[in-house]
Amino acid sequence: MSLRGIIIAVVVLLVPATAQIDDATRKLSRDIFKQLIEINTTDSSGDNTAAARAMAKRLLDAGFPESDVKVLVPAGRANKGNLVARLHGAGTLKPILMIGHLDVVEALRADWTTDPFQFVEKDGFFYGRGTQDMKSQDAMMVTTLIRFKKEGYRPSRDLVLALTSDEEGGTANGVDWLLKNHRDLIDAEFVLNADSGGVMTDKGKPVDVEVAAAEKLYADFQLTVTNPGGHSSIPVPDNAIYHLADALGRLEHSPFPFELNGVTRAYFERLATHETAQNAADMKAILRNPPDQAAIARLSADAHFNSLLHTTCVPTRLNAGHANNALPQTAQALVNCRILPGHSAEEVRGELIGKLADAKVSVRYEDGSSGKVLDRAPNEAGALPGAPRADVLKPLERVADSLWPGAPVVVDMETGASDSKYTIAAGMPSFGIGEEAIDHDDIRAHGKDERLRVSSYYEGVDFFYRYLKAITK
Ligand SMILES: [Zn+2]
């Protein structure tokens, strides 16, 4: 190689990777993104069905047959439609399901600098409700399917896309409804959820590429103590508030047991290689058999580590009494639990009863989707994740390294909850792979002036194309 050749090679290596997409793809992906942002899909006044239909039309126009593009609307919920589309593959392996929600959190024009339902490009950013969460990824996935169709690309297995309603709230969750009513259409070996995971950047520079490979289970419990009450001038020891307060005090001092699974074990193994000395030693010590109890206690002082290592249950609401001068007849608390994979809400309800240790405190399950309070909680446990799947992660590492060089892929467990909670409960391993780059101090999902860097958007368009191709070659 000539000196000039070497210089060019070095310069090329130093130029940060940017999206390798042509102008037509750039325009197509931008048009789809704009169209989605400008269809209001809030629970209060939006129309999810309109967004689902708009995306269906795009796929039909690109050559998908009508039999493979369905807009499915729950009875009596005209605005809560969902899209399911399928690109047929060549092989006999079970399909891959990709999910994304079309609905967005409410946004008030008065709070925003721009109109949240207008797609605005300024200062190198796209503004609008859903630019981060998650019409961007929806548009990336639709763009990718259209590109695949136009190329005549035949994946090794079916790729199914479900764009759904009511992830952010509301009572018509599309993933839940599709699983209950159209399981055959979305059944898959595993699920790629574009709503979690992500590329963390610092002033645009990639720090890490996050993949959520497990998720905790969400459960609300209503604790109630009832009592005949009476006049507060002649108090008796049997008091509903004391019963409840004492029981909550016992809960506070009785954490759920330490437990690792395939994903958290791999996460701490990896983190131990670049943590501070004490943290690194503690992480290695909790991976041993038996784990070191002092190390567990030290790591659990960190709220995030604590939530990775334990099921957590914490009171979030309290309500008691009916008059200043009367003994309380009712005392109630809401306890919110985030349950480790492998355990059911009913199992945790039983453990709560044991920890509260007072037969006067009833523990009932509050079902978020129906609003009903039930005597028993669901018995289904979130599937226990194994070590992260190589067929999902190896291609992701390769593609991520070309787009965000130097940023390690970090596989972790989501401590919050996304629609993966439904697919995991239905027995489909689910991975959060919504890889779009957002600065750690510019997370505006659910907030005002939500925005996404223009370059991050096109990188994401490139990522989804390359990654979905890499796992279906
Ligand atoms: Zn979301």
Side-chain angles (χ1 to χ4, degrees):
M1 193 185 280
S2 68
L3 182 60
R4 190 165 167 270
I6 291 169
I7 290 170
I8 289 170
V10 169
V11 169
V12 167
L13 282 176
L14 290 176
V15 171
T18 46
Q20 307 282 311
I21 55 175
D22 59 26
D23 289 347
T25 301
R26 202 169 275 260
K27 178 172 185 325
L28 173 71
S29 66
R30 189 186 193 280
D31 288 350
I32 295 173
F33 193 12
K34 176 176 192 294
Q35 184 178 26
L36 280 176
I37 294 294
E38 295 186 351
I39 300 172
N40 181 337
T41 51
T42 57
D43 186 41
S44 65
S45 59
D47 187 352
N48 220 81
T49 307
R53 290 224 164 93
M55 294 303 102
K57 179 167 189 317
R58 293 226 171 234
L59 293 168
L60 293 170
D61 289 349
F64 278 81
E66 264 179 46
S67 53
D68 289 335
V69 179
K70 295 195 158 60
V71 175
L72 300 151
V73 186
R77 308 302 306 273
N79 290 344
K80 300 291 184 182
N82 307 282
L83 168 76
V84 179
R86 177 177 302 255
L87 179 67
H88 288 276
T92 52
L93 291 171
K94 277 184 86 174
I96 297 171
L97 171 65
M98 305 177 285
I99 59 173
H101 62 84
L102 289 167
D103 62 310
V104 291
V105 171
E106 307 293 333
L108 293 178
R109 176 69 186 91
D111 296 341
W112 280 53
T113 310
T114 60
D115 182 337
F117 300 103
Q118 287 290 316
F119 187 73
V120 175
E121 180 176 350
K122 62 168 186 172
D123 315 325
F125 288 86
F126 293 127
Y127 286 81
R129 172 56 89 222
T131 46
Q132 286 192 2
D133 184 13
M134 62 167 293
K135 284 176 167 170
S136 42
Q137 293 101 331
D138 295 337
M140 292 167 194
M141 292 190 286
V142 171
T143 302
T144 301
L145 284 188
I146 290 172
R147 291 173 77 191
F148 283 176
K149 191 75 195 175
K150 290 199 161 154
E151 285 174 11
Y153 174 63
R154 199 155 158 77
S156 60
R157 59 212 294 180
D158 287 11
L159 276 174
V160 179
L161 172 66
L163 297 180
T164 62
S165 70
D166 278 8
E167 192 275 340
E168 300 289 7
T171 53
N173 181 278
V175 175
D176 187 31
W177 183 80
L178 287 169
L179 283 166
K180 286 177 179 149
N181 296 280
H182 296 280
R183 174 76 190 242
D184 54 319
L185 282 180
I186 59 164
D187 201 38
E189 184 173 335
F190 60 85
V191 177
L192 301 176
N193 183 354
D195 195 24
S196 51
V199 180
M200 203 222 297
T201 52
D202 183 29
K203 298 183 184 67
K205 190 183 174 308
V207 175
D208 65 28
V209 178
E210 292 162 18
V211 178
E215 191 159 293
K216 291 178 100 174
L217 186 69
Y218 180 107
D220 285 326
F221 295 95
Q222 193 185 77
L223 278 44
T224 308
V225 183
T226 55
N227 188 283
H231 203 289
S232 63
S233 65
I234 41 169
V236 293
D238 181 21
N239 177 302
I241 291 177
Y242 286 149
H243 276 286
L244 185 63
D246 289 347
L248 289 174
R250 287 188 289 274
L251 175 64
E252 180 188 359
H253 298 291
S254 173
F256 282 76
F258 160 85
E259 194 176 298
L260 292 170
N261 56 54
V263 170
T264 51
R265 179 169 283 280
Y267 173 78
F268 282 109
E269 272 165 8
R270 175 142 203 179
L271 208 57
T273 62
H274 47 87
E275 267 286 329
T276 60
Q278 180 67 57
N279 267 1
D282 285 345
M283 286 172 188
K284 286 176 189 145
I286 66 167
L287 295 167
R288 276 185 218 118
N289 195 8
D292 184 294
Q293 294 302 318
I296 293 170
R298 275 192 298 274
L299 287 176
S300 299
D302 175 287
H304 181 237
F305 293 151
N306 181 57
S307 70
L308 291 174
L309 298 174
H310 307 269
T311 289
T312 62
C313 288
V314 64
T316 53
R317 285 165 175 259
L318 202 53
N319 185 24
H322 57 285
N324 289 359
N325 58 3
L327 298 172
Q329 290 175 4
T330 305
Q332 244 173 11
L334 192 289
V335 169
N336 176 248
C337 296
R338 305 303 179 113
I339 302 167
L340 286 175
H343 302 278
S344 70
E346 179 58 18
E347 184 185 333
V348 168
R349 196 182 71 87
E351 286 179 69
L352 274 178
I353 291 169
K355 289 176 190 298
L356 297 165
D358 184 342
K360 290 221 149 135
V361 183
S362 74
V363 181
R364 302 173 79 210
Y365 175 75
E366 200 172 295
D367 179 26
S369 58
S370 68
K372 286 189 184 129
V373 180
L374 308 166
D375 286 337
R376 290 177 64 84
N379 274 314
E380 298 89 48
L384 206 54
R389 288 175 69 127
D391 57 346
V392 172
L393 290 169
K394 286 287 166 218
L396 193 142
E397 280 170 1
R398 274 199 309 277
V399 175
D401 192 51
S402 67
L403 277 164
W404 303 287
V409 171
V410 176
V411 180
D412 61 4
M413 180 172 71
E414 188 75 41
T415 57
S418 70
D419 275 342
S420 293
K421 64 175 176 277
Y422 299 110
T423 50
I424 291 169
M428 296 189 262
S430 304
F431 301 87
I433 52 102
E435 310 303 1
E436 69 185 13
I438 298 175
D439 277 3
H440 59 86
D441 55 0
D442 199 40
I443 295 166
R444 300 190 181 193
H446 301 198
K448 69 168 222 167
D449 293 342
E450 187 177 346
R451 67 179 189 176
L452 180 67
R453 204 184 290 270
V454 171
S455 58
S456 295
Y457 179 65
Y458 293 122
E459 277 164 20
V461 170
D462 200 14
F463 167 78
F464 273 89
Y465 176 85
R466 285 155 71 170
Y467 177 57
L468 291 175
K469 224 170 211 186
I471 56 168
T472 56
K473 269 202 301 245

